[in-house]
Structures are given as structure tokens and as C-alpha cells.
């Protein structure tokens, strides 16, 4: 029996657990519900363990999460051959409820979820997604979400997954969006994820094209109410699957072998990272905010592509200290060089404009309009941290839980030229007004002696 599953979630009310399971031909959501009258019946211990609820007896829960997961997937395997051939299994509103009878035998039944209609009606049609006519004119296809075959969840919260477009295709794509499972997990959280998902589509579509920035999606995934295919709405997008992974994956696998990445690759990637962010600021007149190694994927040419344009949170291990929500900024003309950002610590009542991300007070959209130079300095800092992680070969897992990060250069980095270390230091200056600018940083990496391909996109800076 060739089935797989790696995505399990619980609901806001802590009374249900769901799991998405699939084989090469079909995918289904399996649901387990807490039963107060039968606390030892399989669904109840699964829910109790997942949500860490109190149990009166050891048989009312599991000793740990791995045991709970094994019991859950074991129950799916017992019923899969029967339910996978049910004529309604692929219907968009269907979940498969797992339950036990009085003799503790596993059973299943198809449930048509009435709230699926609410989910569909909360989504937007493709024509409502674009902010400009120019973006709307791009060519795109629409594909029914139900035709996808999920392969593996790609981490993080939400429905991002590697998928196939049909059972007859071996080509992999990345699905990014808000599927029905996201809605079942938390309708409130779903509203945030939906807003962020649509915002990303609009942001990427409005950016002038750049070789190191993810291009707009050309395939949209749609869903509709059962029996109504004429009014389908967008629940996701498809992007090419990058088989070489992210920059963080590259550092991690290389470091595991004790090897060092080549200097030519490092210089090329530093140039491409900087070029992408400079283009974002000076050609796109916006920001990224979530700069980190895992948000640069490596394409088939071994070039970097900047992804994840939600603009809804920043990793604390690359976030500039002045952008943590504790500082306000204004521009003042202090000399003939032009306006200069002046930073003032905020001392008023608690403020919050980012309920789901961090920092809780998001200064990036404010500074974009109020003080672009402050925004540039903040993203230069994030670039500096990301470049240091590449050059020193530090993985995200080593720093993402640290309260404070001390940038260091140990003996492993003795191959890194001193001027490279120096330019990273200039990115990370505690005084934002003393940091190197994006264009000067771009010139530095352009002029660095490395592979010829570093210079192939140098003409882009003439557009800024």
C-alpha cells in the first residue's frame, strides 16, 4: 500500500485533528473527533495527545507525538483501500471521518462539510487579484485544485507543498495557497493567510522582472462550490519546483560533509542577493522584509531566486535592530548630502499592526513611504546577516532560536578575503546611517574577482 502523509493539524476548538494522506492517484483529509463518552476510543486519544489535553487515564492519550502519529497513520492504512475508491473521495468538500465501534474496530464514513461553501465564498476570482491593468494582462492558466496530487508538505504553517498536476505526470511543482484544510484548521487564521497569499500575488505581479526574483505565477488553482464550476475562485498558485533547494539547504548539506563552498559561488550569490534587493527598492519601490538564506532558492543554472513576498513578518536573526518596532524615524536635512533618518525610541502605549507575524509593530510599510533611506538601511542589515551566514557557513537552525547573535569569523572562514568580511561588517554597523548603501554594496560584489557570470547582470544597476 503506497500512501504517504506528513501534514497533521488540529482545530481552534481543540476537539478535532485532521491529516492529509495521499497516494499517486488521490488525496484525502482524514478527521478524528474527541468523544467525551468514549475517551479511550482511538480518535479521542489522538485529539487529546495532539492538543495536549488533560487525561484521566494513560489509555486516554499517547505517551508522545510519534506514537500518536503512528496510530493515526495505522488507522488510515486499515481503511485506505476501501475509502480511496469511493466515488465521492475526490469531491472538494469531503473529509473522511475515522471512528471505532463498541468492539474497537476501525470504521470510516464520508462527510460532506457544509462549511466548504463558506470557504469558497471567501475566496476571490482571478480577475480581482491584480492591482493594475498591466499586471492583469499577463497570461495565465487555471487548474482545478482537486486535480493536484500532494507529495510532501514543504514546512511552515499553511498549505505549501510539492505536488504533481495529475497522476500521469512525474513533474513536480510547488503549490502555495490556502486549501480547505487551512480553513478547517482555523477560520480566523485562514483569513490572515488568505490576505497574505493574495498580497504576495499582487506584490510579485507589480514588480518589474528581474532574473533573481521569483516571476509571477502563470498557473492559478481554483475551487468552486460543489456542482458549480462556473464561479471558481483562486485558492493557490503553482511554481516550478527547485530541485536544488534553498541557500540554507546548500549550506547545511555542504557543512555536513566538512566541505567549504567555493569562493566564486559565494561571490556570485552575494551579488545576486544584493541585486535582487536593490531592484526591489529602486525599481520596484517596495521591500522584501523576510530576507534569509531559506528564501533564496537555487535554480537549474545554480543562480539564486528570491521567493516569499508576503511582507508579513521578519526573522529575528536577520532583522535590523532599529526595525524591531521600538523605534520611529523621521527625515531631517542635516547637511548638504540630503535628508538623513533620525531615529527616536517609541515611548507610547502598546501598538500592534502585525497580529500573526513578528515584530508586532511592522515599520517596513511605514518607512517605505516616510523614509526610504531608513528602509534601505534595515534591509542592508538583513542582507549582511544573510551574507555572513553564507560566507561563514552558518545554518538557520544554528541561529533562529538565539536571543542575540554575535557575528564571528572563525578558522573555518580563513578562506574568506578580508575585504569581504569588511563589507559584511559595514552592512551590520549598529548605526543605520553608517551602513553601506545598496548600490555601493552592489558595486562591491560586481567588481569582486570571481566567475564571469557575476558580471552578466551588471547592466541592471543602470536602471536604478
Amino acid at each position: 500500500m503506497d500512501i504517504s502523509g506528513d501534514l497533521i493539524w488540529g482545530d481552534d476548538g481543540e476537539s478535532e485533528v485532521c491529516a492529509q494522506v495521499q497516494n499517486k492517484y488521490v488525496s484525502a483529509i482524514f478527521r478524528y473527533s474527541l468523544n467525551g463518552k468514549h475517551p479511550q476510543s482511538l480518535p479521542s486519544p489522538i485529539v487529546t495527545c495532539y492538543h495536549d489535553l488533560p487525561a484521566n487515564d494513560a489509555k486516554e492519550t499517547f505517551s508522545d507525538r510519534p506514537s500518536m502519529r503512528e496510530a493515526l497513520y495505522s488507522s488510515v492504512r486499515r481503511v485506505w483501500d476501501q475509502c480511496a475508491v469511493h466515488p465521492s473521495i475526490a469531491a472538494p468538500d469531503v473529509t473522511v471521518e475515522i471512528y471505532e465501534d463498541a468492539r474497537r474496530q476501525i470504521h470510516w464514513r464520508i462527510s460532506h462539510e457544509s462549511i466548504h461553501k463558506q470557504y469558497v465564498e471567501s475566496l476571490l476570482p482571478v480577475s480581482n487579484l491584480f492591482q493594475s491593468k498591466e499586471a492583469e494582462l499577463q497570461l495565465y492558466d487555471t487548474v482545478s485544485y482537486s486535480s493536484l496530487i500532494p507529495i510532501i508538505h514543504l514546512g511552515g504553517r499553511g498549505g505549501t507543498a510539492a505536488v504533481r498536476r495529475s497522476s500521469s505526470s512525474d513533474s513536480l511543482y510547488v503549490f502555495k495557497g490556502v486549501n480547505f484544510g487551512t480553513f478547517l484548521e482555523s477560520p480566523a487564521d485562514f483569513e490572515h493567510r488568505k490576505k497574505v497569499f493574495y498580497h504576495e500575488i499582487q506584490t510579485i505581479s507589480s514588480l518589474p522582472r528581474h532574473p533573481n526574483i521569483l516571476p509571477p505565477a502563470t498557473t492559478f488553482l481554483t475551487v468552486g462550490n460543489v456542482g458549480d464550476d462556473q464561479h471558481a475562485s483562486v485558492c493557490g498558485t503553482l511554481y516550478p519546483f527547485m530541485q536544488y533547494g534553498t541557500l540554507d539547504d546548500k549550506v547545511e548539506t555542504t557543512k555536513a560533509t566538512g566541505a567549504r563552498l567555493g569562493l566564486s559561488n559565494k561571490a556570485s550569490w552575494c551579488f545576486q542577493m544584493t541585486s535582487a534587493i536593490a531592484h526591489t527598492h529602486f525599481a520596484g519601490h517596495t521591500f522584501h522584509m523576510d530576507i534569509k538564506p531559506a528564501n533564496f532558492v537555487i535554480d537549474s543554472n545554480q543562480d539564486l531566486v528570491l521567493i516569499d513576498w508576503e511582507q508579513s513578518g521578519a526573522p529575528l536573526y536577520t532583522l535590523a535592530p532599529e526595525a524591531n518596532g521600538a523605534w520611529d524615524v523621521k527625515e531631517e536635512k542635516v547637511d548638504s548630502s540630503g535628508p538623513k533618518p533620525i531615529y527616536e525610541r517609541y515611548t507610547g502605549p502598546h501598538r500592534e499592526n502585525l497580529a500573526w507575524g513578528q515584530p508586532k509593530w511592522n515599520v517596513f510599510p511605514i518607512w517605505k513611504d516616510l523614509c526610504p533611506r531608513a528602509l534601505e538601511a534595515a534591509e542592508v542589515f538583513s542582507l549582511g546577516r544573510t551574507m555572513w551566514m553564507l560566507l561563514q557557513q552558518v545554518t538557520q537552525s544554528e541561529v533562529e532560536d538565539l536571543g542575540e547573535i554575535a557575528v564571528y569569523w572563525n578558522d573555518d572562514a580563513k578562506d574568506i578575503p578580508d575585504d569581504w568580511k569588511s563589507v559584511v561588517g559595514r552592512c551590520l554597523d549598529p548605526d543605520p546611517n553608517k551602513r553601506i548603501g545598496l548600490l555601493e554594496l552592489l558595486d562591491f560584489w560586481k567588481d569582486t574577482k570571481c566567475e564571469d557570470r557575476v558580471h552578466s547582470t551588471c547592466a541592471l544597476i543602470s536602471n536604478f
Side-chain angles (χ1 to χ4, degrees):
M1 185 186 304
D2 187 18
I3 64 172
S4 62
D6 62 349
L7 184 58
I8 298 176
W9 67 90
D11 68 326
D12 283 347
E14 299 187 335
S15 63
E16 292 186 348
V17 168
C18 292
Q20 184 158 347
V21 181
Q22 59 276 330
N23 64 7
K24 188 176 180 180
Y25 305 100
V26 68
S27 173
I29 295 173
F30 290 80
R31 183 159 53 89
Y32 299 76
S33 299
L34 189 66
N35 187 332
K37 294 182 178 180
H38 302 284
Q40 295 183 17
S41 180
L42 179 65
S44 292
I46 286 176
V47 175
T48 299
C49 179
Y50 182 91
H51 289 292
D52 197 23
L53 302 177
N56 296 318
D57 188 283
K59 294 181 180 179
E60 295 179 7
T61 187
F62 289 90
S63 59
D64 51 40
R65 285 289 186 96
S67 301
M68 179 270 293
R69 293 174 66 91
E70 176 55 35
L72 185 153
Y73 288 122
S74 176
S75 68
V76 172
R77 286 191 289 269
R78 293 184 196 178
V79 303
W80 180 266
D81 287 344
Q82 303 169 46
C83 65
V85 296
H86 191 282
S88 297
I89 190 65
D93 64 337
V94 158
T95 64
V96 181
E97 184 178 358
I98 298 293
Y99 64 98
E100 285 186 337
D101 62 19
R103 296 179 298 169
R104 306 297 299 272
Q105 297 297 307
I106 299 292
H107 294 272
W108 62 279
R109 56 176 161 247
I110 293 288
S111 295
H112 291 269
E113 303 291 344
S114 60
I115 61 173
H116 184 267
K117 182 178 180 180
Q118 181 182 344
Y119 159 69
V120 171
E121 291 176 348
S122 72
L123 300 171
L124 295 176
V126 177
S127 59
N128 287 19
L129 291 180
F130 301 110
Q131 294 179 318
S132 68
K133 290 296 182 182
E134 181 180 350
E136 189 175 354
L137 290 175
Q138 70 179 33
L139 298 177
Y140 57 82
D141 296 322
T142 57
V143 175
S144 172
Y145 175 77
S146 62
S147 68
L148 295 186
I149 305 296
I151 303 302
I152 186 171
H153 182 238
L154 294 178
R157 302 196 70 185
T160 304
V163 300
R164 292 192 177 98
R165 289 184 63 163
S166 70
S167 59
S168 61
S169 171
D170 289 329
S171 298
L172 287 179
Y173 298 86
V174 173
F175 164 80
K176 189 167 189 179
V178 283
N179 56 20
F180 185 42
T182 309
F183 186 83
L184 288 175
E185 179 179 359
S186 170
D189 203 2
F190 165 81
E191 284 299 318
H192 165 71
R193 297 189 202 179
K194 179 188 68 175
K195 179 181 178 181
V196 166
F197 164 61
Y198 288 154
H199 176 81
E200 179 178 41
I201 292 176
Q202 295 165 348
T203 300
I204 297 175
S205 296
S206 65
L207 278 173
R209 304 296 174 261
H210 186 280
N212 303 117
I213 291 177
L214 183 73
T218 57
T219 302
F220 292 92
L221 281 304
T222 60
V223 294
N225 287 318
V226 177
D228 181 10
D229 295 327
Q230 301 300 314
H231 300 89
S233 297
V234 175
C235 70
T237 50
L238 284 186
Y239 294 102
F241 181 81
M242 302 289 190
Q243 62 176 323
Y244 296 100
T246 70
L247 189 59
D248 187 53
D249 295 331
K250 187 71 171 180
V251 169
E252 186 172 17
T253 55
T254 304
K255 190 170 184 176
T257 66
R260 296 285 292 172
L261 291 164
L263 291 184
S264 61
N265 275 335
K266 287 181 173 179
S268 177
W269 289 338
C270 285
F271 175 84
Q272 291 170 2
M273 286 190 283
T274 307
S275 182
I277 298 301
H279 184 83
T280 299
H281 279 256
F282 302 121
H285 306 291
T286 187
F287 57 91
H288 186 272
M289 187 177 179
D290 195 8
I291 300 171
K292 60 184 180 181
N295 278 342
F296 289 95
V297 294
I298 302 172
D299 69 13
S300 58
N301 296 319
Q302 296 297 297
D303 293 325
L304 296 186
V305 177
L306 181 58
I307 62 171
D308 281 2
W309 288 88
E310 295 97 336
Q311 298 178 327
S312 64
L316 299 184
Y317 51 91
T318 65
L319 179 67
E322 74 276 6
N324 66 359
W327 296 86
D328 288 332
V329 68
K330 60 182 179 179
E331 280 191 339
E332 289 187 3
K333 187 174 181 179
V334 296
D335 54 40
S336 59
S337 63
K340 176 183 178 181
I342 304 298
Y343 297 84
E344 297 178 348
R345 182 175 287 277
Y346 176 74
T347 58
H350 174 76
R351 56 185 183 179
E352 185 173 304
N353 61 1
L354 202 61
W356 272 265
Q358 56 186 9
K360 290 304 179 183
W361 183 253
N362 181 11
V363 300
F364 284 77
I366 300 170
W367 291 3
K368 178 177 77 74
D369 298 325
L370 184 65
C371 188
R373 290 186 65 183
L375 184 68
E376 177 186 351
E379 298 244 90
V380 164
F381 184 95
S382 298
L383 266 178
R385 276 278 172 87
T386 302
M387 290 188 293
W388 166 70
M389 293 171 71
L390 168 62
L391 300 178
Q392 174 63 46
Q393 294 186 199
V394 176
T395 65
Q396 287 184 190
S397 62
E398 294 177 77
V399 297
E400 59 189 359
D401 294 326
L402 298 179
E404 294 185 7
I405 299 173
V407 171
Y408 61 87
W409 303 101
N410 62 20
D411 288 343
D412 292 339
K414 59 186 177 183
D415 59 334
I416 304 300
D418 289 341
D419 59 338
W420 295 18
K421 297 176 182 178
S422 177
V423 81
V424 169
R426 292 183 63 192
C427 293
L428 300 176
D429 196 299
D431 184 347
N433 287 311
K434 293 181 180 179
R435 288 177 199 149
I436 188 172
L438 276 171
L439 295 183
E440 186 181 354
L441 183 63
L442 189 61
D443 280 340
F444 173 86
W445 290 115
K446 174 176 70 86
D447 294 334
T448 298
K449 295 188 181 297
C450 54
E451 292 182 339
D452 290 340
R453 66 183 176 138
V454 172
H455 301 277
S456 64
T457 52
C458 291
L460 288 166
I461 63 171
S462 63
N463 296 326
F464 302 146

